[in-house]
Amino acid sequence: MNERKPLAELKAVDWDMIVVGGGITGAGVVREAVRRGCKVLLVEQADFAWGTSSRSSKMVHGGLRYIAAGDIRLTWHSLVERERLLREAPGLVTRLGYWFAHYEKTFPGPWVFGFLLSVYDLLARVRDHRYVARDKFLEQMPGYREQGLRGGSRYTDALVDDARLVLRVLDESMDEGACVRNYTRVEAPLLHAGEVIGARLRDLESGEAVDVSCRTLINATGAWADRLRSSIAASKRVRPLRGSHLVVASERLPVREATIFMHPDDGRAVFIYPWQGRTVIGTTDLDHHDDLDEEAHISRQEFDYLLRAANRQFPGAALVDGDVIATFSGVRPIVSSGRGLHPSQEKRDHSVFSEHGMITVTGGKLTTFRQIALDVLRAAAPRLGIVVRDRGEAVFAPAPQDRLGARFGRTAQRIHELPAPQEQALLPGLDYSLAEMRWSLRHEQVVHLDDLLLRRTRIGLLCRQGGEEFLPLIAPLCRDELGWSEERWQAEVKRYQQIWQRFYSLPA
Ligand SMILES: Cc1cc2nc3c(=O)[nH]c(=O)nc-3n(C[C@H](O)[C@H](O)[C@H](O)COP(=O)(O)OP(=O)(O)OC[C@H]3O[C@@H](n4cnc5c(N)ncnc54)[C@H](O)[C@@H]3O)c2cc1C
């Protein structure tokens, strides 16, 4: 990934497209636009993937519940993309077994569920499900609630590191000539005769601002989409819905594969799954009324709701607050039906709409980012003078098939070759090395310590107190690579600790 270009340099270019928002949607659009020969700039007001795209449930999935709701098209598209990502980004996207337990006198029973899974597999063109009787199920899911248990169905979906997915897509785009810049906000679109002709950008670090012109402006700001639209359209489209997760020490709730079950309070689906050596419990689904300028965070009610679900399903675990290492919450940018539906009934599909030269894209899923990007380009095509066909080109170039290849793609080999062999070792209890952090600091536009600990690596989600025990090892890297003084380092540590305490720790 390139360095942050000076703001003045951005002004000197007549961009075909400016993409606002550095989540997976914006990254996907840049990727598809640049390979069609467009001059593309992406700006992100905070860090890349700072929004929902680092706080998803991290599943690359078809979404069984969409089939059950009759949304075959969304499921089919998602499954096609799931299989593509598994092929193109092995290690970053990994297949995982999911278990659903069947109890006496509860719906759906094994036959109905098996039928659903046959359709699911058919759409994905795989055959990957089975039913096992009670004892075999308990061998796979020790400690599961036994009363009335008949057996379990297993199918497969996939998991990903969502923030690294965004970074890899951006990296591939930059390799083909895109320019991307974090901590740069679009303050407002620039208008001429009521049509968008550019954007006013502000560097949130230096305070500097420039006006930059473009042929089309893509509003990929997710939950923030209505804000950017407000200067050209009065209506509101987005209904922000929050979903939260708990990260638990895997010794306290060991699961080899994922399980999905219905919450006893409201019948919503809850997942418990292994991720990066920890166990994640999620998620919730409720209207998010908090200020969007603040990171979303879990409420006490959501925390208790998720803990209650896990304890009912794994009664022996008897989880308590102290077992939770960290929490994280994201805001779904759902396009509202306007009919006051229950949050879980709102459609999860994406919408693209074009207004006065600005194309807004919102809703959708991490999994379908490539399909979403193609829909955005189709809407932008008349202004750009391009024809958009899905030629099925790979999003990712081939990469080494190892841990670093999964995270960094093509450049992984260069991390192995960094001097200081002692930095190649994994940190205790983690799947990260100091060498890869050095690489991120040097090449991945790390501006703040939280960029490194929450998104380039996920240490802040995986360790108690945000991994503060590793800070003495990381300090020299930041001094070497970013030239931070002792004073700057102390300020960054303070900032990180405040962010972690407020948005990633346990609720008060
Ligand atoms: C709890 C939860 C669980 C989910 N789980 C899954 C899952 O398992 N699988 C799946 O496929 N999908 C999942 N999703 C959906 C998926 O995460 C989202 O659809 C996706 O991340 C949205 O990406 P985005 O790029 O549109 O938005 P975001 O990632 O939020 O990116 C928008 C970005 O725009 C930036 N921005 C806003 N205003 C400006 C401005 N004026 N100038 C510059 N930048 C700006 C923001 O800072 C933000 O980073 C989940 C969502 C949630 C909330």
Side-chain angles (χ1 to χ4, degrees):
M1 191 178 268
N2 308 352
E3 285 154 21
R4 289 173 86 229
K5 283 224 161 63
L7 217 48
E9 272 187 36
L10 307 184
K11 192 178 164 61
V13 182
D14 277 332
W15 299 99
D16 290 320
M17 179 185 277
I18 298 179
V19 178
V20 194
I24 191 62
T25 306
V29 172
V30 173
R31 178 78 188 103
E32 294 304 321
V34 75
R35 66 158 38 130
R36 285 170 176 79
C38 299
K39 262 185 279 170
V40 196
L41 167 67
L42 176 141
V43 288
E44 160 57 50
Q45 65 178 356
D47 185 27
F48 305 121
W50 172 84
T52 306
S53 299
S54 58
R55 307 129 187 276
S56 77
S57 299
K58 297 155 192 9
M59 293 179 190
V60 170
H61 62 160
L64 256 190
R65 79 183 187 90
Y66 310 127
I67 288 203
D71 200 342
I72 300 280
R73 195 169 163 270
L74 178 59
T75 314
W76 177 50
H77 281 164
S78 306
L79 287 170
V80 168
E81 293 305 312
R82 181 192 79 185
E83 291 304 305
R84 163 193 286 278
L85 285 165
L86 280 163
R87 274 193 311 273
E88 280 185 26
L92 177 63
V93 182
T94 49
R95 208 181 281 281
L96 182 75
Y98 284 63
W99 289 93
F100 182 82
H102 300 283
Y103 289 90
E104 279 157 18
K105 297 189 189 129
T106 57
F107 184 83
W111 283 101
V112 173
F113 202 72
F115 173 72
L116 209 66
L117 293 181
S118 300
V119 177
Y120 201 62
D121 276 1
L122 196 72
L123 293 172
R125 297 188 179 189
V126 297
R127 170 139 183 86
D128 214 0
H129 73 272
R130 65 176 196 269
Y131 172 78
V132 299
R134 175 193 161 99
D135 289 353
K136 281 259 178 281
F137 174 79
L138 288 171
E139 275 173 25
Q140 298 297 327
M141 281 280 154
Y144 219 79
R145 182 163 61 90
E146 290 187 26
Q147 203 186 356
L149 180 67
R150 293 168 66 192
S153 296
R154 180 184 185 273
Y155 64 100
T156 60
D157 259 322
L159 284 182
V160 66
D161 178 337
D162 47 5
R164 289 259 31 131
L165 178 70
V166 173
L167 289 160
R168 270 198 68 188
V169 176
L170 288 176
D171 186 50
E172 299 286 352
S173 311
M174 292 175 84
D175 199 44
E176 288 198 33
C179 178
V180 313
R181 195 176 201 272
N182 56 4
Y183 293 95
T184 307
R185 175 177 283 162
V186 167
E187 289 199 321
L190 302 177
L191 301 175
H192 178 73
E195 290 290 302
V196 174
I197 53 154
R200 164 153 296 194
L201 313 185
R202 187 172 296 279
D203 183 324
L204 296 187
E205 294 298 300
S206 67
E208 190 190 349
V210 289
D211 289 350
V212 179
S213 66
C214 63
R215 291 162 77 182
T216 182
L217 187 69
I218 309 296
N219 176 3
T221 58
W224 293 262
D226 282 337
R227 276 201 192 166
L228 202 60
R229 288 177 61 242
S230 64
S231 50
I232 54 164
S235 62
K236 287 214 183 309
R237 299 268 189 133
V238 178
R239 179 175 179 188
L241 297 176
R242 185 172 70 242
S244 298
H245 308 80
L246 310 180
V247 183
V248 175
S250 53
E251 313 83 75
R252 291 292 294 115
L253 188 56
V255 286
R256 275 196 303 270
E257 297 197 308
T259 173
I260 171 174
F261 55 93
M262 302 309 163
H263 197 289
D265 292 3
D266 57 8
R268 276 195 64 256
V270 176
F271 290 92
I272 298 183
Y273 50 100
W275 188 70
Q276 301 216 2
R278 313 292 185 264
T279 298
V280 178
I281 308 167
T283 170
T284 55
D285 201 9
L286 67 160
D287 280 302
H288 180 71
H289 300 295
D290 299 353
D291 183 354
L292 284 174
D293 284 333
E294 290 218 325
E295 298 191 37
H297 57 94
I298 195 167
S299 68
R300 184 73 225 184
Q301 286 81 354
E302 290 174 279
F303 186 94
D304 292 342
Y305 171 94
L306 292 173
L307 215 54
R308 205 158 51 245
N311 279 332
R312 176 160 187 270
Q313 225 52 32
F314 290 90
L319 295 176
V320 294
D321 287 15
D323 295 317
V324 177
I325 294 172
T327 67
F328 61 97
S329 304
V331 182
R332 297 180 181 87
I334 298 297
V335 182
S336 173
S337 65
R339 291 189 282 135
L341 295 178
H342 185 274
S344 299
Q345 289 170 335
E346 293 280 19
K347 274 199 172 285
R348 305 285 139 140
D349 216 348
H350 65 277
S351 292
V352 177
F353 34 95
S354 182
E355 294 161 311
H356 310 288
M358 182 198 286
I359 291 164
T360 297
V361 49
T362 190
K365 299 166 65 186
L366 204 69
T367 310
T368 48
F369 72 88
R370 198 188 67 91
Q371 300 266 358
I372 297 174
L374 290 172
D375 281 349
V376 171
L377 284 197
R378 283 182 196 110
R383 277 183 174 256
L384 296 172
I386 57 169
V387 178
V388 180
R389 284 197 200 90
D390 182 359
R391 292 192 294 262
E393 291 142 304
V395 172
F396 302 101
Q401 300 223 352
D402 59 12
R403 188 178 65 80
L404 293 178
R407 279 188 199 138
F408 294 88
R410 295 165 291 113
T411 50
Q413 188 51 37
R414 292 171 61 196
I415 304 176
H416 287 300
E417 288 161 10
L418 285 176
Q422 71 283 5
E423 289 185 2
Q424 301 283 351
L426 294 181
L427 294 172
L430 286 172
D431 204 16
Y432 293 106
S433 65
L434 293 175
E436 64 190 280
M437 286 192 228
R438 185 180 285 285
W439 181 267
S440 291
L441 290 165
R442 197 176 291 175
H443 295 289
E444 293 196 316
Q445 295 195 19
V446 172
V447 174
H448 292 290
L449 183 59
D450 41 291
D451 304 341
L452 182 69
L453 295 178
L454 290 168
R455 289 166 293 273
R456 302 300 176 284
T457 70
R458 314 312 299 272
I459 291 175
L461 301 185
L462 302 173
C463 300
R464 291 187 187 279
Q465 297 305 319
E468 65 182 14
E469 77 259 38
F470 298 112
L471 293 181
L473 297 173
I474 295 170
L477 305 185
C478 293
R479 279 187 209 115
D480 289 356
E481 301 297 334
L482 304 178
W484 285 355
S485 62
E486 179 57 25
E487 197 184 4
R488 170 76 189 262
W489 169 253
Q490 290 304 336
E492 289 291 338
V493 168
K494 192 168 169 203
R495 172 187 153 109
Y496 173 61
Q497 287 172 336
Q498 279 173 350
I499 290 174
W500 194 87
Q501 286 299 341
R502 288 190 63 192
F503 308 119
Y504 294 90
S505 69
L506 277 60

